[in-house]
Amino acid sequence: MTAKQEWIDVAVKALDKAYVPYSHFPVGACLVTKDGKIYQGLNIENASYGLSNCAERTAFFKAVSEGEREFSHLVVAGHTPEAISPCGACRQVMAEFCAPEMPVTLIGDHGVKKEMTVEQLLPYMFTEKDL
Ligand code: THU
């Protein structure tokens, strides 16, 4: 199996662990560091809806809190007919920690897949350079 297929499997497997009693919309993520470590993420909802945390941000916050700062790839998976579309907040977090050209693989049901970059997901992004 290729490394990339392994990352996709990690993101898809996270769908079964997502805590989504309110939306019933599971999302899974696999964030890969430059040295090949992987961090799995899933969405975690709350009865106070606004506190819910997306799968992508779970993966980033797990990794960053373990001292990781350099990332090479992100996979996001959903049970969606089209490749899942990451929310705006998660795109901004990608912009914080990833190079604009970093690849992001978006997965849906039935093997649907879309390859994008962080910059394609968030053009004209706001970063530290704008401060
Ligand atoms: N969600 C994610 O986990 N990632 C996204 O990029 C889109 C939205 C979650 C948040 C919430 O738990 C559910 O999907 C429905 O919005």
Side-chain angles (χ1 to χ4, degrees):
M1 196 194 288
T2 63
K4 189 168 173 192
Q5 188 56 51
E6 218 172 285
W7 305 336
I8 292 171
D9 289 352
V10 168
V12 169
K13 281 202 182 110
L15 291 168
D16 293 331
K17 289 194 272 184
Y19 179 73
V20 289
Y22 307 107
S23 73
H24 305 288
F25 186 86
V27 181
C30 178
L31 179 62
V32 186
T33 67
K34 282 193 177 160
D35 54 3
K37 272 191 260 163
I38 57 176
Y39 289 86
Q40 189 182 50
L42 41 85
N43 46 342
I44 303 168
E45 298 185 345
N46 193 283
S48 176
Y49 296 164
L51 297 182
S52 298
N53 202 61
C54 290
E56 301 92 315
R57 281 179 290 146
T58 301
F60 274 102
F61 296 161
K62 280 171 75 174
V64 172
S65 65
E66 292 299 321
E68 306 289 356
R69 292 292 187 276
E70 305 224 67
F71 302 103
S72 63
H73 204 111
L74 174 68
V75 180
V76 190
H79 282 309
T80 46
E82 305 294 334
I84 189 162
S85 175
C87 81
C90 289
R91 293 177 197 218
Q92 182 63 31
V93 172
M94 291 175 209
E96 181 70 28
F97 292 109
C98 309
E101 63 276 10
M102 193 188 92
V104 182
T105 303
L106 305 171
I107 304 288
D109 275 333
H110 311 299
V112 174
K113 190 159 72 168
K114 199 178 177 89
E115 301 289 355
M116 299 193 72
T117 65
V118 168
E119 190 167 34
Q120 285 170 330
L121 286 165
L122 191 61
Y124 196 56
M125 62 185 76
F126 179 74
T127 70
E128 62 179 352
K129 293 194 268 343
D130 298 296
L131 293 172

